[in-house]
Amino acid sequence: MSDGRFTRVVSASLACSILLVNLGSATPSCAKSSKHSKASKASKGAKIIETKVEETAKPAEPVPVKKVMATSYSLGGTERYLTMLSTDKPIYRAGDKLYLRGVMLNSLNKQPFPRFSDLRYGGHIEIRGPKGEIIARDNAQIQDSVWSYIWDVPRGALGGEYTAYLSFAQAPFAPSERKFDVRAFRNTRLKSQITFVRDGYAPGEKVSAVLDVKRAEGGIPASAKVMVTATIDGVAMNCGTASVDNNGLCQVSFDLPHEIERGEGTLALVISDGGVVETASKTIPILLKTVDLQMYPEGGDLLAGHKNRVYIEASQTNGKPADLVGRIMLAGTNGEAPREVAEVKTEHEGRGRFEFTPEAGKKYYLAVSQPSGIAKTFPLPEAKLTGATITTDQEVFRREQPIVLLTDSSEKTYKVSLYKREVKIADYKVDLQNQPKDGQQRVQFNLSDDIDGVLTATIWSASGEPLAERLIFRETSSPINISITPAKKSYIPGETAELTVKATDENGKPLSTVVGLTVSDETVIEMIDKREQSPNLEVMYFLEPEVKNLADAHVYMDAKNSKAPLATDLLLGTQGWRRFALLDAKDFVAKNGSKAKRVLGGCLGRPIGSRIGEDGRPLQVSTISVDHFKR
């Protein structure tokens, strides 16, 4: 994949998923910033400088600790690789074989692991049981930037959630893990998924859900009867019957009781398709009087007197997402009634956003309108008098578009920097010393197409202090189109299947690739709620390392899903890891462990090879192409 192209994971009717690593010969797309965007001379390593103060008769004044931006050298060099782990299916029975695969790609430029290094930096694999105990361990060697491992699930294996964990002892590469289940189950004849229209219902509200069902061998069970049963706090409710339409969908609805004590609810749909009778079930998201709610000012803090955007994330007490509609209220003072200043509604995974202009010294709170019955209010953070805001009117940037940010600050001089992990791509200086300040300032960066994925935008004060920071997403460059064509429309058990896999670029030209193929029973995959299914390779690389938690992964980076851009922005606005993390990478890793190492794209330590000197400067330079803007 030396031309920086990436791949999508594509599924065929036999639940065949493939991964591709392009072996083109163009120039690497992203390894180090261009001469127009050099890091400052101060960024030589990620060391924290402390000044010792000798004891005197007077109490010593607190000594400020100067933090220095992490460099590629301090993070392990530019040759840092992320491993995307995947299993052939999400659940296994005792006695099954688990097929584990890892794809290694450079954390900065998507390049595959160099072939000359394949035998020097193998991975160490551990299979950990439900209690964290190590059940199996082995080593795996890399070939063509891919390695694989087969584990026989023991006959007496306990049921529960297991973890495949990969680490590297000889290289500063971030560890990786993938979870899977071991449990008893039987293969089904129907593939079914239940989706609730909302992620949260209060007592007395109408619950609506959609059943999507198809036959395992292909085809739709049109007109199949569906018996609807809801069990609330152990009491079963007969909710009538429905039928499957010609698209394989069945819509059901019922009213929750007005009085619910524990909030334990399950929806069971019994599907009768000729002689086949199977049940699909799912937990009902019942909200009792409260939700867990987190708020995230877009740049980190609210700035009084300036327009601010705030992201919210609501969840049930069990951690699952909760949908809500709410109002942002200005608290009343001196006998004045509270006043509404904005509205907010969750859009995906319990996440939403709103905008308002807070006044200095005023208090604001969020009041929930829907679901009904939630009397608790949620205070907003207090707005600061000094600082900055940073926003954009784009949810996701197309690769042919410039990056346009809208910035505002209490200061008249500041700098906006754009980063790909620790590599600075460009700077933009805003100087309004001799100009009237007129709201948000438009900052534009023109980037080459090969700069893609998650980028960090940071506002710095004139004295070099970080004021605000947010993540943005730019569409991936040079997509790969994949088609899988079976020689026959159907096969019988035990028969040899022949598939033709074709990879082309966006212009339809063939590409040389490395192909990984997995064949699984799709009914087993569908036993796991779609929200809980593992992401495909593209989402694994571009989004999974950048966020704390990733669920409903099939929505992201889907060009056919109109909700994908907004969902991506909400994900980064709530689950995005960075908050000036590169200013104290050592502390960031100490607090967050392996996940922080994946955010940084590697481990703290001396680089492998000799491409970067201890001063942080490259000995061999691969550049990021970027047009640098000056005001």
Side-chain angles (χ1 to χ4, degrees), residues 28-90:
S29 60
C30 170
K32 188 68 179 176
S33 60
S34 70
K35 63 181 180 181
H36 297 296
S37 54
K38 293 180 180 178
S40 66
K41 293 182 179 179
S43 58
K44 298 178 181 179
K47 299 179 181 178
I48 298 178
I49 303 173
E50 298 184 3
T51 304
K52 293 183 179 179
V53 179
E54 295 183 1
E55 293 185 5
T56 62
K58 297 180 180 180
E61 293 288 336
V63 178
V65 177
K66 183 178 179 181
K67 297 178 180 179
V68 181
M69 282 287 289
T71 64
S72 294
Y73 182 87
S74 68
L75 295 178
T78 55
E79 297 301 317
R80 309 196 310 273
Y81 292 83
L82 290 173
T83 302
M84 279 55 68
L85 283 182
S86 61
T87 57
D88 60 312
K89 54 188 179 182

Side-chain angles (χ1 to χ4, degrees), residues 34 122-123 140 151 185 243 247 364-365 432 443 469 553-554 613 631:
S34 70
W151 181 54
F185 64 88
S243 61
N247 295 314
Y364 298 84
Y365 62 89
L432 303 175
V443 173
E469 187 171 86
H554 68 282
R631 197 156 185 86

Side-chain angles (χ1 to χ4, degrees), residues 284-305:
I284 303 170
I286 298 175
L287 302 179
L288 294 181
K289 298 182 180 180
T290 189
V291 294
D292 294 327
L293 185 66
Q294 301 294 324
M295 300 188 197
Y296 304 91
E298 186 171 21
D301 298 303
L302 294 179
L303 182 60

Side-chain angles (χ1 to χ4, degrees), residues 140-326:
Q141 296 298 328
I142 307 162
Q143 181 176 355
D144 290 328
S145 203
V146 178
W147 58 262
S148 60
Y149 174 69
I150 301 174
W151 181 54
D152 291 311
V153 182
R155 290 287 179 184
L158 298 175
E161 185 179 66
Y162 287 63
T163 302
Y165 184 83
L166 173 74
S167 60
F168 297 88
Q170 303 299 322
F173 303 157
S176 183
E177 66 179 48
R178 183 66 57 200
K179 296 186 181 299
F180 60 92
D181 286 348
V182 173
R183 67 180 190 226
F185 64 88
R186 65 178 183 84
N187 292 78
T188 62
R189 299 286 300 278
L190 298 174
K191 301 178 296 181
S192 59
Q193 288 280 336
I194 298 174
T195 304
F196 290 101
V197 175
R198 283 173 26 207
D199 281 327
Y201 298 91
E205 290 191 325
K206 182 178 289 295
V207 177
S208 297
V210 178
L211 169 70
D212 186 344
V213 59
K214 294 177 177 61
R215 296 189 179 104
E217 66 273 17
I220 294 172
S223 301
K225 298 299 180 183
V226 178
M227 185 172 67
V228 184
T229 302
T231 302
I232 310 297
D233 286 348
V235 179
M237 301 165 47
N238 186 348
C239 302
T241 60
S243 61
V244 178
D245 64 20
N246 292 331
N247 295 314
L249 303 177
C250 176
Q251 299 188 20
V252 300
S253 62
F254 58 92
D255 294 325
L256 287 175
H258 289 278
E259 298 294 333
I260 300 178
E261 183 178 348
R262 301 192 304 274
E264 299 171 356
T266 303
L267 173 63
L269 304 179
V270 180
I271 310 160
S272 299
D273 178 30
V276 176
V277 179
E278 293 186 356
T279 301
S281 63
K282 190 171 183 177
T283 301
I284 303 170
I286 298 175
L287 302 179
L288 294 181
K289 298 182 180 180
T290 189
V291 294
D292 294 327
L293 185 66
Q294 301 294 324
M295 300 188 197
Y296 304 91
E298 186 171 21
D301 298 303
L302 294 179
L303 182 60
H306 298 256
K307 187 177 181 180
N308 290 253
R309 176 183 289 175
V310 180
Y311 292 85
I312 69 167
E313 185 171 42
S315 59
Q316 307 166 47
T317 54
N318 61 5
K320 297 293 180 67
D323 278 334
L324 60 79
V325 176

Side-chain angles (χ1 to χ4, degrees), residues 30-32 70-81 106-109 171-174 420-423 600-614 616-620:
C30 170
K32 188 68 179 176
T71 64
S72 294
Y73 182 87
S74 68
L75 295 178
T78 55
E79 297 301 317
R80 309 196 310 273
Y81 292 83
N106 189 288
S107 62
L108 291 173
N109 59 24
F173 303 157
K420 174 74 174 182
R421 287 201 163 88
E422 80 283 1
V423 177
L600 299 173
C603 298
L604 301 177
R606 187 178 183 87
I608 62 173
S610 58
R611 296 194 177 188
I612 293 183
E614 292 190 7
R617 295 182 179 182
L619 302 179
Q620 293 180 337

